[in-house]
Amino acid sequence: MPNTQLRKKETVSKEFKVLQQSSATTTCTATTLPYTTIYFPVQRRCKAMHMLLADQGQSWKEEVVTMETGMKDSLKAFCLYGQLPKFQDRNLTLYQSSAILGHLGYSLGLYRKDQQEAALQDVVNDVVEDLHCKYILLIYTNYEAGKEEYVKALSGYLKPFETLLSQNEGGQAFIVGNQISFVDYNLLDLLLIQQVLAHSCLDSFPLLSADVVCLSARPKLKAFLASPRASMAMGSSESLWNPGWEAGGLPDFLSP
């Protein structure tokens, strides 16, 4: 690699000021942590993958990028698609939070149990992502004017998940199948942030309410959710998703 190109690459990397690097409270036997997430100093689109890793007894490192750096054009040079989160699994680099969750599902045995069930999990995860996108657009682009209408429509968005639970062993199993999958963590993250926005949104959905309670009570997941790492930006819907760019719309460096 020519020296000028090498120096340019080093300069781009240095612009990503790492504020914090830490490992999860759980430990693994390997001396080097296999997973690294690179994101802003909030949980947001890393929350579901962090819940999954914590609940599965995995350790990971978080590299935190400053918001100021995130606004710079150098992000596009540092990240393949110009977006975060960025995820490292040893020598594999991934972007797009949903794809990262799917990879962890495959890697940690959370795609169950056959091709048909895996396909159903993909469908449900896509629906979860659709509502995530609606929520993000509300918070970033139309919060004051659009919140009331969004909350009114929320029961319609959530009803299919209640139906799916009712059709799977009467709500006594998971959203798909009888073993936890990567989709359950993504759905839990979605439901928790909806409750921040509209506290009573699950009142008419007893199975979804019970699902949130049961999943949140899993010992390792409960410990993570109670930790300072998980509580970053959990004060309100605005602080959960909105780092201060609402006036300018949805930043293009935030990955779906």
Side-chain angles (χ1 to χ4, degrees):
M1 180 182 294
N3 289 337
T4 55
Q5 191 174 355
L6 180 61
R7 286 196 297 271
K8 182 178 180 181
K9 184 176 181 181
E10 289 174 348
T11 300
V12 168
S13 298
K14 287 177 181 177
E15 285 186 352
F16 279 75
K17 305 169 186 176
V18 178
L19 299 180
Q20 170 186 345
Q21 292 185 349
S22 58
S23 62
T25 53
T26 53
T27 58
C28 60
T29 56
T31 56
T32 301
L33 298 178
Y35 306 115
T36 300
T37 59
I38 303 170
Y39 201 52
F40 303 102
V42 284
Q43 286 288 322
R44 291 201 315 276
R45 294 305 277 153
C46 284
K47 184 69 171 288
M49 63 185 79
H50 288 167
M51 290 195 297
L52 183 157
L53 289 168
D55 192 45
Q56 294 299 311
Q58 302 295 311
S59 295
W60 72 95
K61 180 174 69 174
E62 294 177 35
E63 294 186 0
V64 182
V65 174
T66 65
M67 299 298 187
E68 178 186 3
T69 298
M71 299 293 287
K72 294 182 178 180
D73 289 340
S74 56
L75 179 71
K76 299 184 185 301
F78 184 78
C79 299
L80 180 60
Y81 305 105
Q83 294 179 320
L84 296 176
K86 178 180 179 180
F87 182 80
Q88 296 281 160
D89 179 355
R90 300 172 179 86
N91 63 343
L92 175 65
T93 300
L94 293 174
Y95 301 90
Q96 302 295 321
S97 53
S98 184
I100 295 167
L101 276 175
H103 167 70
L104 289 172
Y106 280 119
S107 300
L108 299 175
L110 301 174
Y111 256 119
R112 301 281 169 73
K113 56 186 174 180
D114 53 35
Q115 185 175 357
Q116 178 175 319
E117 191 167 288
L120 293 174
Q121 290 171 352
D122 287 337
V123 171
V124 177
N125 195 59
D126 281 354
V127 179
V128 171
E129 287 301 306
D130 286 345
L131 186 48
H132 263 303
C133 288
K134 287 184 174 70
Y135 180 83
I136 292 170
L137 288 173
L138 168 72
I139 296 300
Y140 276 103
T141 67
N142 195 34
Y143 181 73
E144 294 299 332
K147 178 182 176 182
E148 183 178 354
E149 182 179 352
Y150 179 92
V151 172
K152 286 181 179 178
L154 189 53
S155 62
Y157 299 150
L158 297 177
K159 185 176 181 181
F161 302 118
E162 180 81 1
T163 300
L164 285 171
L165 285 172
S166 70
Q167 293 173 346
N168 190 15
E169 300 185 22
Q172 299 303 305
F174 296 93
I175 193 68
V176 177
N178 58 12
Q179 298 184 62
I180 197 166
S181 74
F182 75 101
V183 185
D184 291 285
Y185 299 103
N186 207 16
L187 178 59
L188 176 60
D189 178 38
L190 175 71
L191 296 176
L192 289 174
I193 61 177
Q194 301 310 307
Q195 286 183 303
V196 173
L197 181 68
H199 181 71
S200 61
C201 67
L202 298 184
D203 286 358
S204 58
F205 300 113
L207 297 181
L208 278 177
S209 297
D211 192 54
V212 169
V213 171
C214 290
L215 289 177
S216 300
R218 292 167 66 92
K220 292 176 183 177
L221 184 51
K222 181 179 180 180
F224 171 73
L225 290 173
S227 71
R229 303 175 78 193
S231 62
M232 284 192 300
M234 281 294 290
S236 67
S237 60
E238 294 93 335
S239 63
L240 182 62
W241 283 100
N242 197 330
W245 299 292
E246 68 277 12
L250 183 64
D252 62 5
F253 56 80
L254 287 177
S255 170

